[in-house]
Amino acid sequence: MPPIRIGDFAVNRIADFEGPAFGPADFFPDFDPEVVRANADLIGPRLLDPTTGLLVFSFHSFVVRTGRHTILIDACIGNDKERPARPQWHRMKTSYIDDLARIGVKVEDIDYVMCTHLHWDHVGWNTRLQDGRWVPTFPKARYVMARRELGHWEGVHRSGADTPHATAFADSILPVVETGQSMLVDDNFALEDGLWFEGAPGHTPGNVVIHARSGGERGLFVGDVLHHPLQCIKPEWSTRACSDPDMSRATRTKLVEGYADSGTLILPAHFPAPTVGHIRRHGAAYRFAFQE
C-alpha cells in the first residue's frame, strides 16, 4: 500500500499475514448470522471469505514517520515463535523485515515500538531468534508499553499459565525488558507533539489507543478495540479474546459513536487491505468506510 498521510506524518502498513482466520460464531460469542445477511452489501468477500465462511483478518504493523522519529505501532506475530495452540501462525516464516526494507526502513532505523497491548499477535516482532536466543529485533528502539498492561501480563507469566499470551510474554516481551529497552508509561503518555496514548481498557486491562494529529488532520490507531468491520455494525459484540467483555463493549461503543462522521482516520490492527478508513453513520447504526 502507498503511504497514508496524516498531515505531515507518513504511515505505512506492513502485513505479517492476511487471510481467513476465525469462524464468526467462534470469535464473537454473540454472533448472529442475520446481521451478515442483512448487511451483505457492506461486508462482501473481502471481509468474510465466501469459501470457508471465516472472518478475513490482517495481522500488521504501522510504521509512522513523523519527521522527528520513526515509530512502529504493534509488532505482529513474528517468525519462529512457538505457538502450537495457534497452528496457522506456529513457527511462521514471513518477509516482514524485507518488507520494512522495501519502504526504506532498516531495523536500526526504528526509534520506538509503541504497543497498544501485549497479546501474542501484537508483540511477535519485538524479538527475533538469533543463535538460539530471543533478541530485540530493533536494537536502538525503546519499546513503549502501558505500565498497567505490563503489570497484568507479568502476573499471568508468574502464575505459570500455559497460553499463547503467556508464551509471548516470555519470548517477545521479557527479552526487551531485560535489555533495558522497555519504556513503561501511563495511559495518557505523549511521545511527541501529536502522538499520544489514551486508555481503552476491556480487551486487555491496559489496552490503549494511539492518537495522531498533524497539520490539522487526525488519525486513531485503535488496536483491538475493533477487530473486524462487523463491530461497527454491532459494537456490542465483544470477542472471546476480551478479558472484560462488558468493559470492552463500553469502550468500543464509545469509540464508534464518538468518531462516527468526525473526519478522523481510523487505523485498525486487523482489518484487511486497504485497512484504514472512517466510521460512518448508517441509518440508526454505523458502518466502516474503507479509504480506497
Side-chain angles (χ1 to χ4, degrees), residues 65 71 73-74 86 93 115 118 121 124 132 161 171 179 190 199 211-212 215 221 235 249 255 279 286-287 291:
R65 286 177 270 200
I71 299 150
I73 295 179
D74 285 342
R86 300 287 187 271
K93 297 286 187 184
C115 306
L118 301 181
D121 55 318
D171 63 35
T179 61
H211 291 266
F221 298 89
R249 184 177 300 114
L255 186 147
I279 299 170
Y286 304 90
R287 67 181 181 89
Q291 180 170 286

Side-chain angles (χ1 to χ4, degrees), residues 147-161 166 169:
R147 194 183 320 275
R148 183 162 45 137
E149 181 77 353
L150 184 70
H152 170 76
W153 292 110
E154 280 179 330
V156 172
H157 177 67
R158 286 195 301 269
S159 76
F169 189 89

Side-chain angles (χ1 to χ4, degrees), residues 1-4 11-13:
M1 291 174 60
I4 303 152
V11 182
N12 287 90
R13 169 186 174 271

Side-chain angles (χ1 to χ4, degrees), residues 7-288:
D8 294 330
F9 295 173
V11 182
N12 287 90
R13 169 186 174 271
I14 303 295
D16 230 4
F17 172 92
E18 181 171 318
F22 304 108
D26 295 329
F27 196 69
F28 297 118
D30 298 322
F31 177 71
D32 179 356
E34 180 56 34
V35 173
V36 172
R37 286 192 289 270
N39 294 278
D41 58 325
L42 300 180
I43 299 170
R46 180 166 60 189
L47 304 181
L48 195 66
D49 183 72
T51 302
T52 64
L54 300 179
L55 300 168
V56 177
F57 268 47
S58 174
F59 296 79
H60 52 256
S61 300
F62 291 106
V63 177
V64 184
R65 286 177 270 200
T66 69
R68 294 181 59 195
H69 299 115
T70 300
I71 299 150
L72 188 92
I73 295 179
D74 285 342
C76 294
I77 301 167
N79 279 0
D80 304 306
K81 299 295 167 88
E82 296 289 330
R83 306 288 184 259
R86 300 287 187 271
Q88 196 168 7
W89 303 289
H90 179 55
R91 298 179 183 173
M92 283 223 319
K93 297 286 187 184
T94 74
S95 59
Y96 184 91
I97 298 297
D98 291 337
D99 293 340
L100 281 173
R102 289 188 187 97
I103 65 166
V105 176
K106 302 187 295 292
V107 293
E108 296 84 2
D109 295 334
I110 299 294
D111 299 306
Y112 294 95
V113 177
M114 299 182 78
C115 306
T116 60
H117 63 296
L118 301 181
H119 273 169
W120 66 273
D121 55 318
H122 290 254
V123 299
W125 277 106
N126 281 359
T127 61
R128 56 178 168 176
L129 196 59
Q130 184 175 324
D131 299 326
R133 297 175 53 247
W134 296 109
V135 302
T137 302
F138 308 102
K140 298 180 180 179
R142 301 295 306 277
Y143 289 74
V144 185
M145 309 172 190
R147 194 183 320 275
R148 183 162 45 137
E149 181 77 353
L150 184 70
H152 170 76
W153 292 110
E154 280 179 330
V156 172
H157 177 67
R158 286 195 301 269
S159 76
D162 183 17
T163 70
H165 305 314
T167 304
F169 189 89
D171 63 35
S172 301
I173 299 168
L174 272 182
V176 303
V177 173
E178 290 169 350
T179 61
Q181 289 174 251
S182 60
M183 183 175 172
L184 304 186
V185 303
D186 295 325
D187 290 355
N188 60 352
F189 167 76
L191 179 62
E192 62 173 82
D193 186 31
L195 203 64
W196 72 96
F197 277 4
E198 179 187 359
H203 181 60
T204 64
N207 191 64
V208 300
V209 296
I210 301 173
H211 291 266
R213 182 174 60 203
S214 173
E217 297 182 358
R218 293 171 295 163
L220 188 68
F221 298 89
V222 299
D224 282 4
V225 175
L226 290 167
H227 279 85
H228 193 273
L230 274 171
Q231 289 174 295
C232 290
I233 301 168
K234 299 294 286 186
E236 60 267 38
W237 285 1
S238 289
T239 77
R240 295 191 187 278
C242 293
S243 63
D244 186 333
D246 291 336
M247 185 176 290
S248 176
R249 184 177 300 114
T251 294
R252 183 171 43 261
T253 300
K254 180 181 177 182
L255 186 147
V256 168
E257 292 177 350
Y259 285 95
D261 297 332
S262 69
T264 298
L265 186 68
I266 303 297
L267 301 100
H270 293 298
F271 288 18
T275 300
V276 307
H278 297 86
I279 299 170
R280 305 288 191 204
R281 296 187 185 277
H282 185 67
Y286 304 90
R287 67 181 181 89
F288 192 80

